[in-house]
């Protein structure tokens, strides 16, 4: 019997629950890797934002609109508080609109945290009709209703060779990307179980 692959990214949009697992080939969805987008807007630092992943219209059909055709998942891993709002401002351009903390810490989420997360190509494992309420049961402390039309959750991965949160992995710290597809705006934050 084949081993079940870890679901690295979970998403909900238009009444469909999507899950993504490691792929054996380069694909149009991935976890980690370099952030090759131009980042403008609010100043922050000295550490850069982390590229958590990428989803496109082949992964989630709702991303095939004129206002948004790809979704870079960007997060301030080294910024305690971890609340960030950004807007997709054109091809490979991100404008940071707000951050709860704009100064990075040397020891957050733990000392020696890498500048890049491991690159893992992803494939869609499932696309299952499901209500948002049922989707949210897997991630305690999600809002009763998301701000946008697409919500993406990235729980602590066990199989990429890196801890996202150190001891916080045991607390189930999950990164949430709440995406308004009409304004191409993403509000990213974290919740714990």
């Amino acid at each position: 019997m084949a081993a079940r692959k870890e679901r690295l990214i979970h998403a909900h949009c238009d009444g469909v629950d999507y899950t993504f697992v490691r792929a054996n080939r380069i694909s149009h969805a991935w976890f980690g890797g370099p952030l090759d987008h131009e980042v403008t807007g609010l100043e922050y630092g000295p550490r850069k934002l982390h590229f958590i992943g990428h989803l496109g219209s082949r992964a989630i059909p709702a991303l095939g609109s004129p206002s948004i055709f790809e979704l870079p998942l960007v997060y301030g891993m080294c910024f305690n508080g971890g609340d960030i709002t950004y807007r997709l401002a054109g091809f490979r351009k991100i404008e940071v609109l707000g951050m709860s903390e704009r100064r990075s810490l040397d020891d957050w989420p733990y000392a020696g945290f890498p500048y890049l997360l491991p690159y893992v190509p992803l494939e869609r494992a499932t696309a299952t009709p499901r209500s948002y309420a049922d989707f949210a049961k897997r991630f305690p402390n999600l809002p009763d209703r998301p701000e946008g039309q697409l919500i993406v959750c990235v729980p602590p991965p066990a199989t990429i060779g890196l801890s996202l949160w150190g001891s916080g992995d045991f607390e189930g710290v999950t990164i949430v990307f709440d995406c308004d597809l009409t304004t191409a705006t993403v509000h990213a934050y974290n919740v714990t179980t």
Side-chain angles (χ1 to χ4, degrees):
M1 185 166 149
R4 182 175 168 185
K5 292 183 178 181
E6 178 184 23
R7 286 163 165 73
L8 295 169
I9 294 181
H10 304 256
H12 188 271
C13 186
D14 294 335
V16 179
D17 182 345
Y18 300 92
T19 61
F20 297 87
V21 298
R22 181 184 300 264
N24 294 325
R25 56 179 168 61
I26 302 298
S27 70
H28 294 280
W30 60 88
F31 178 96
L35 176 58
D36 61 353
H37 289 62
E38 176 186 350
V39 180
T40 62
L42 290 179
E43 291 187 19
Y44 59 89
R47 293 286 301 262
K48 297 196 180 297
L49 299 174
H50 278 84
F51 195 55
I52 305 300
H54 174 273
L55 298 172
S57 61
R58 291 186 186 187
I60 298 177
L63 294 175
S65 73
S67 62
I68 182 170
F69 61 92
E70 68 163 350
L71 179 60
L73 304 172
V74 178
Y75 193 69
M77 290 299 303
C78 297
F79 297 80
N80 188 5
D83 194 295
I84 179 173
T85 301
Y86 60 94
R87 182 176 70 85
L88 307 178
F91 182 70
R92 298 209 182 273
K93 293 181 181 177
I94 295 170
E95 179 185 11
V96 176
L97 303 173
M99 291 179 78
S100 60
E101 182 62 49
R102 293 170 50 185
R103 179 137 181 88
S104 63
L105 301 172
D106 292 335
D107 60 352
W108 188 264
Y110 54 83
F113 192 81
Y115 286 92
L116 292 176
L117 300 181
Y119 169 80
V120 179
L122 300 175
E123 64 186 0
R124 190 169 66 195
T126 61
T128 307
R130 184 169 286 138
S131 70
Y132 172 76
D134 285 343
F135 171 83
K137 286 177 185 175
R138 282 182 287 164
F139 306 101
N141 299 315
L142 281 182
D144 291 337
R145 302 179 89 193
E147 298 167 29
Q149 302 83 10
L150 167 63
I151 193 159
V152 178
C153 294
V154 182
T159 60
I160 64 166
L162 172 77
S163 167
L164 281 188
W165 300 102
S167 62
D169 287 349
F170 294 108
E171 297 169 9
V173 178
T174 297
I175 306 171
V176 179
F177 299 89
D178 195 333
C179 314
D180 186 326
L181 301 178
T182 57
T183 62
T185 304
V186 179
H187 177 206
Y189 56 93
N190 68 66
V191 296
T192 58
T193 55

